[in-house]
Amino acid sequence: MTLRPDDIHRTVLLAAHDGTQPTLDAAIAAHDRTGIVICADKPTCRHAGGQAAILTAVVTARRAFGTVTVRAEDPAAILTAGIFKGRALADAMTSQGARLLPTVAHGAPSEDWPVLLLGPGTPVPPEKHLAALRASWRGWTAIVAPAGLPGETAGTACVLAPIAAAALGVSEAFGAVRSAPGSEAGYRDIALNLWNPGVDHQDNGPDLSHAPAAWWLVGLGHLGQASAWVISWLPYADPSGIEAVLQDTDRTTPANYSTGVLTPEGSNGVPKTRLTAAALESAGLTTRIIERRVGSDFRAAPSERHVALLGVDNLPTRRLISGTGWTLAIDIGLGDQPGNFDSILIHRFPGSRCSDTVPAWQPREPRAVTIPQTAAFADLQEHHDPCGVTELAGKAVGAAFVGVTAACLAVAEALRELHGGTGHDTFLLSLTTTTARNSPGDKIVLVPSARLSR
C-alpha cells in the first residue's frame, strides 16, 4: 500500500514518533477526539491586542486539536488589523474552522478538553474541564497561568505580547492533553518577556511606536507563514507603505496545513509565495515575490534595507546569510524531533560571528534517517512500502503554536533596538521546560522604520 508522507499531519505524527499511539490511524483518531474551549469577554473582543490573541489562539489550536470551540462575548466586533482586517470576529473565526458556542454555558463539550481564557477579565466557565488556563499580557510580556490566578491588565501592550500569550496558552493546553510524564504543562505559571527575553524581572519595555518599514521573508513554510501572521498585526499608520519581499520556490502539500497558519486545509500545489502575498495584502501591506533560492550569487541591492526573517531548513542557505547584503537578518530554527519539537533557536546577523562560521552550520554528512522503534512505525512497515515509511520517518514533527511563538521572538528582535533595547546574537527557548539562554550583542543595528498607530 502506498503511503503519502506529504499528506500526514505533522502534529499527529508526534504520537507515532513517541509511541503514545499504536498505529498512525489511532494517532489520527486520537487527535480528532481532542478539543479546546477558547473564551473571550467583550473588552478582549474589541481591543486590537485581544483580537490578535483570539485569532492566534484559533488558528494555532485548530491545527493542534481536533475541535476548537469559542465563546466570545462580542463576536460581531470588527477586526482592526491582521489578515482578516475589516471582517467580523465571528466570520474570521468560523472561516478557520472554529465552532462558536453560546456565551452562557450549557455544559462543556467534553470534560477532557482544556479551557483557555484570553484577557484578564474573561470569567472561568462553570462546567468541568481538564484544565483552565488564562493568557494575559502586560507591556512586551506574555503570561499564561492557571485561570484561578488574577490576570494581567492589557494596558497599552506591544501587540506581540498578546499574540505570544495566545500561542503559549495553546501550547500549555496541548501539553496538558498530551500529559507527558513529569510535565506540568497546563498547571504552571509561565511568562515570556519579549523586551528582555530570558530575563526574569518586571521591565516590560516602552510603548511600541515604530516598526521596520520593509521585511524580507525567506522560506514560507511553518516559520515564514508564522512571521507573516505576526507582521500582519503590527498597527502601521500606513500599511500600504510597508513592503514585504516573499522568497520561496515551494508549493503547498496537505501536510503544510498542520503547521502553516496561512495554509488552508487541503491546500495542494499552491505557490507559497502567492498564498502569503494574498494574506499580507489583505492586511494592507505591499508585497514583492521572488521565486528563486538564495544561492552564492544572490545579493540584496544597497537600496534594499529590509529586515530579513529566515525560516529555512538547510545549512547551505544559512551559511550565506552574512554575505547576502541584508541590513539585519534573523534566522529562526526549530527542533524536529518529539523531544525538542518545541525548542526555538534564533541567530541575528550582523552579530558576534559571521553566518559561515556558526559551528552547528558547518558542512557535514547528511544524517541517516532512523525509523522509530515504536508500534506505530512497526505497523506502517508491515502495511506500507519501505520507501514511504522511511520518508515519513524523516519528516519533522511540528506544531503551529511553536512557529508563532518563534516568530514573535524574531519580530521582537527587529523591533527592540528601534526602541532603545538590546539586540541578541543568539536566543534559545524550550517551551517544554520554559528555560531560556541568550547572548546579548554589542552592535546596534538600526533599520528604516515606519510609524505605528497609537
Side-chain angles (χ1 to χ4, degrees):
M1 187 182 301
T2 301
L3 181 66
R4 298 173 60 89
D6 283 339
D7 290 352
I8 306 302
H9 195 290
R10 298 296 185 245
T11 312
V12 170
L13 189 57
L14 177 64
H17 270 274
D18 68 11
T20 53
Q21 293 295 333
T23 66
L24 181 59
D25 286 342
I28 294 170
H31 174 268
D32 290 345
R33 289 193 299 270
T34 61
I36 185 172
V37 181
I38 298 169
C39 302
D41 63 1
K42 285 183 180 179
T44 303
C45 292
R46 295 171 180 175
H47 186 272
Q51 294 176 351
I54 294 168
L55 267 299
T56 297
V58 167
V59 298
T60 56
R62 185 67 187 87
R63 289 155 172 81
F65 293 87
T67 302
V68 174
T69 57
V70 182
R71 288 195 176 104
E73 290 188 1
D74 189 1
I78 301 300
L79 296 165
T80 59
I83 69 171
F84 305 107
K85 183 179 179 179
R87 294 168 62 176
L89 179 60
D91 177 41
M93 292 189 294
T94 55
S95 75
Q96 297 304 295
R99 290 170 40 204
L100 301 188
L101 296 176
T103 53
V104 177
H106 292 288
S110 172
E111 293 183 7
D112 296 327
W113 292 6
V115 172
L116 177 61
L117 312 177
L118 299 174
T122 300
V124 181
E127 65 264 27
K128 293 182 179 179
H129 38 253
L130 173 68
L133 297 157
R134 184 181 304 279
S136 57
W137 43 92
R138 63 171 187 268
W140 292 53
T141 301
I143 302 116
V144 179
L149 299 177
E152 298 288 343
T153 56
T156 57
C158 165
V159 72
L160 304 184
I163 296 172
L168 289 171
V170 173
S171 174
E172 287 291 289
F174 181 80
V177 171
R178 190 173 175 224
S179 192
S183 172
E184 296 181 346
Y187 305 95
R188 60 187 176 178
D189 304 350
I190 62 171
L192 177 59
N193 187 331
L194 297 167
W195 178 249
N196 274 310
V199 178
D200 183 19
H201 57 64
Q202 298 299 309
D203 181 2
N204 295 305
D207 289 348
L208 191 63
S209 61
H210 288 79
W215 300 89
W216 196 310
L217 307 186
V218 181
L220 298 172
H222 183 177
L223 290 164
Q225 292 184 30
S227 296
W229 174 266
V230 173
I231 290 168
S232 78
W233 290 102
L234 293 173
Y236 286 106
D238 179 15
S240 66
I242 307 304
E243 180 180 79
V245 177
L246 307 172
Q247 186 167 6
D248 202 324
T249 61
D250 291 342
R251 294 173 178 263
T252 60
T253 66
N256 293 146
Y257 168 76
S258 54
T259 54
V261 293
L262 304 181
T263 302
E265 192 166 13
S267 181
N268 196 16
V270 179
K272 293 180 180 178
T273 50
R274 316 300 172 90
L275 189 74
T276 308
L280 286 177
E281 287 168 7
S282 69
L285 279 71
T286 299
T287 65
R288 186 154 57 92
I289 287 173
I290 299 178
E291 291 179 332
R292 59 168 289 198
R293 296 184 183 278
V294 174
S296 59
D297 61 341
F298 185 85
R299 295 290 185 276
S303 61
E304 294 176 321
R305 300 189 63 202
H306 296 63
V307 173
L309 303 180
L310 295 97
V312 297
D313 59 1
N314 68 84
L315 299 183
T317 298
R318 285 174 157 162
R319 289 195 294 271
L320 295 171
I321 293 174
S322 292
T324 303
W326 290 306
T327 303
L328 174 63
I330 300 164
D331 177 87
I332 317 167
L334 302 180
D336 60 359
Q337 301 298 313
N340 70 355
F341 79 98
D342 59 0
S343 293
I344 300 164
L345 178 59
I346 289 177
H347 289 84
R348 182 193 70 158
F349 304 96
S352 58
R353 56 163 58 104
C354 290
S355 60
D356 59 359
T357 65
V358 175
W361 294 355
Q362 297 310 300
R364 58 176 182 261
E365 291 296 321
R367 185 176 63 186
V369 174
T370 301
I371 297 176
Q373 300 299 303
T374 63
F377 270 92
D379 179 75
L380 288 171
Q381 288 178 296
E382 181 178 349
H383 296 98
H384 296 277
D385 64 291
C387 290
V389 175
T390 301
E391 184 182 352
L392 183 63
K395 296 293 186 182
V397 300
F401 53 77
V402 182
V404 171
T405 305
C408 287
L409 286 163
V411 173
E413 189 64 44
L415 296 178
R416 195 181 305 115
E417 289 183 283
L418 291 175
H419 294 79
T422 301
H424 293 80
D425 288 347
T426 60
F427 181 76
L428 174 65
L429 173 68
S430 166
L431 300 189
T432 295
T433 63
T434 69
T435 56
R437 298 200 306 271
N438 65 61
S439 175
D442 57 6
K443 182 178 288 187
I444 299 297
V445 180
L446 296 180
V447 297
S449 65
R451 186 170 57 84
L452 300 178
S453 300
R454 294 292 183 134

